[in-house]
């Protein structure tokens, strides 16, 4: 048979590693498999425990129904809280709220130490950059993959936590303005987790060492958390009512006027001769959205700084 009519020889399969986002994606998942397993198991455990707490909610509310104010002859609700109401429900919700609201701290330490710092310290990142993977794409993949997993997992935990709270009776679930309760019942929890990831990544880029990056990322997350916790009441205009000191035509004694429990009292109480400032419960979502926006802005700024630092060092 003529060489012109012979079938072309089969091309041997390429032994090159897969390139592109798919290859990088599976590399990140394999490299950080222990952290992924811990995250999935922890999220499943928290969600399962919240489902159990939801089942205990009716029993706890039945105990709370027998309490009242001192002049009703019923035991005080504070006493029912500690004695007859289901302590597992009350304490469990408080514990879960704390766990969700503090999620950013382990995320920041892990991102600084394992996600970025260790790879730069061991030279794994330099090896990846010689395999047709640009530094920018390397960092983008290492941030995008955990960001999706952390945001989705935290969002699910917030939704399940809200569901387990049922009607949000403050005697059982805590007042909406308590720091842990506030963060664990809205989008700010997701924003804080993403900010922890970004701050940890920036710390890893700055130090290029595992342990210093973990400490620096944790410290930056702690500063952000405490700063916004301190100034939270000022993130949205408060309602201010003047305290009358002269003749009151209604005959009410201003010192006896009390704000409802659902109000977050931030100023002085009535009868002091000074204004009384507070946030009604309707301010919960504006406060949440303002804090979420600030935290996300910090996350974006930290991410941009990490990319700028990477480009400068690899230019």
């Amino acid at each position: 048979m003529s060489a012109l009519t012979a079938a072309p020889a089969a091309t041997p399969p390429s032994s090159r590693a897969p390139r592109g986002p798919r290859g990088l994606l599976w590399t990140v998942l394999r490299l950080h498999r222990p952290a992924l397993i811990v995250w999935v198991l922890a999220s499943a455990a928290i969600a399962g425990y919240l489902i159990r707490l939801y089942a205990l909610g009716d029993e706890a509310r039945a105990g709370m129904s027998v309490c009242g104010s001192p002049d009703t002859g019923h035991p005080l609700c504070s006493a029912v809280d500690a004695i007859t109401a289901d302590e597992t429900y009350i304490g469990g919700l408080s514990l879960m709220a704390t766990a969700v609201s503090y999620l950013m701290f382990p995320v920041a330490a892990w991102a600084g130490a394992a996600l970025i710092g260790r790879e730069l310290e061991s030279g794994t990142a330099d090896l990846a950059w010689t395999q047709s993977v640009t530094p920018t794409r390397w960092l983008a993949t290492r941030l995008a993959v955990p960001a999706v997993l952390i945001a989705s997992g935290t969002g699910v935990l917030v939704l399940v936590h809200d569901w387990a709270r049922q009607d949000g009776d403050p005697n059982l679930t805590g007042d909406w303005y308590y720091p842990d309760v506030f963060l664990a019942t809205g989008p700010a929890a997701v924003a804080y987790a993403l900010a922890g990831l970004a701050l940890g990544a920036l710390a890893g880029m700055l130090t290029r060492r595992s342990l210093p990056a973990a400490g620096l990322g944790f410290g930056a997350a702690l500063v952000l958390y405490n700063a916004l916790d301190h100034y939270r009441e000022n993130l949205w205009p408060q309602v201010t009512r003047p305290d009358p000191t002269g003749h009151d035509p209604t005959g009410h004694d201003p010192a006896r006027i009390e704000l409802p429990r659902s109000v977050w009292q931030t100023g002085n109480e009535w009868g002091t001769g000074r204004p009384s400032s507070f946030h009604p419960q309707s301010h919960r979502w504006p406060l949440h959205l303002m804090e979420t926006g600030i935290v996300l802005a910090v996350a974006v700024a930290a991410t941009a700084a990490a990319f700028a630092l990477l480009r400068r060092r690899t230019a």
Side-chain angles (χ1 to χ4, degrees):
M1 182 179 292
S2 171
L4 296 177
T5 60
T11 303
S14 175
S15 60
R16 297 177 62 184
R19 298 174 56 184
R22 175 178 169 80
L24 288 175
L25 170 63
W26 289 111
T27 299
V28 173
L29 292 177
R30 286 197 306 269
L31 187 61
H32 299 285
R33 190 185 320 173
L36 175 62
I37 294 174
V38 170
W39 172 241
V40 171
L41 292 179
S43 299
I46 293 175
Y49 186 58
L50 287 171
I51 292 173
R52 178 173 180 266
L53 291 177
Y54 176 85
L56 297 175
D58 292 338
E59 179 183 344
R61 280 163 179 76
M64 291 301 299
S65 65
V66 301
C67 70
S69 56
D71 56 352
T72 62
H74 295 294
L76 296 178
C77 290
S78 58
V80 174
D81 256 0
I83 301 174
T84 61
D86 195 321
E87 295 181 5
T88 302
Y89 183 76
I90 299 170
L93 281 180
S94 176
L95 179 62
M96 293 301 98
T98 301
V100 174
S101 62
Y102 287 179
L103 183 62
M104 72 175 302
F105 299 115
V107 168
W110 170 78
L115 185 67
I116 302 298
R118 186 176 65 185
E119 293 201 37
L120 293 175
E121 183 177 13
S122 64
T124 306
D126 295 326
L127 177 62
W129 299 342
T130 63
Q131 304 297 318
S132 301
V133 177
T134 64
T136 299
R137 193 168 64 178
W138 171 85
L139 181 57
T141 306
R142 270 148 182 77
L143 289 180
V145 174
V148 170
L149 295 174
I150 290 171
S152 58
T154 307
V156 170
L157 293 180
V158 169
L159 293 176
V160 177
H161 182 263
D162 279 345
W163 173 70
R165 287 166 53 86
Q166 299 188 31
D167 60 4
D169 182 354
N171 290 314
L172 294 170
T173 64
D175 292 289
W176 67 270
Y177 46 82
Y178 286 177
D180 292 355
V181 175
F182 179 84
L183 290 182
T185 55
V190 180
Y192 273 103
L194 293 176
L197 176 67
L199 291 172
L202 178 58
M205 291 300 306
L206 286 171
T207 63
R208 301 175 66 90
R209 296 291 185 272
S210 299
L211 292 180
L216 182 59
F218 184 92
L222 185 64
V223 170
L224 175 64
Y225 182 94
N226 287 330
L228 288 177
D229 180 58
H230 181 73
Y231 292 104
R232 181 172 297 131
E233 64 187 51
N234 299 317
L235 297 180
W236 192 258
Q238 304 175 40
V239 176
T240 302
R241 293 181 180 178
D243 183 5
T245 56
H247 173 69
D248 184 1
T250 64
H252 294 150
D253 182 358
R256 297 177 61 87
I257 299 177
E258 296 182 359
L259 294 172
R261 178 172 177 175
S262 62
V263 165
W264 179 12
Q265 182 82 26
T266 58
N268 298 285
E269 297 183 356
W270 292 91
T272 61
R274 290 173 292 180
S276 176
S277 302
F278 59 90
H279 285 293
Q281 193 167 1
S282 60
H283 285 188
R284 173 177 171 266
W285 276 110
L287 287 167
H288 243 299
L289 295 177
M290 289 295 296
E291 187 161 351
T292 299
I294 293 173
V295 176
L296 287 179
V298 171
V300 170
T303 303
F307 275 99
L309 186 60
L310 177 65
R311 287 193 295 267
R312 180 179 178 181
R313 287 182 173 177
T314 58

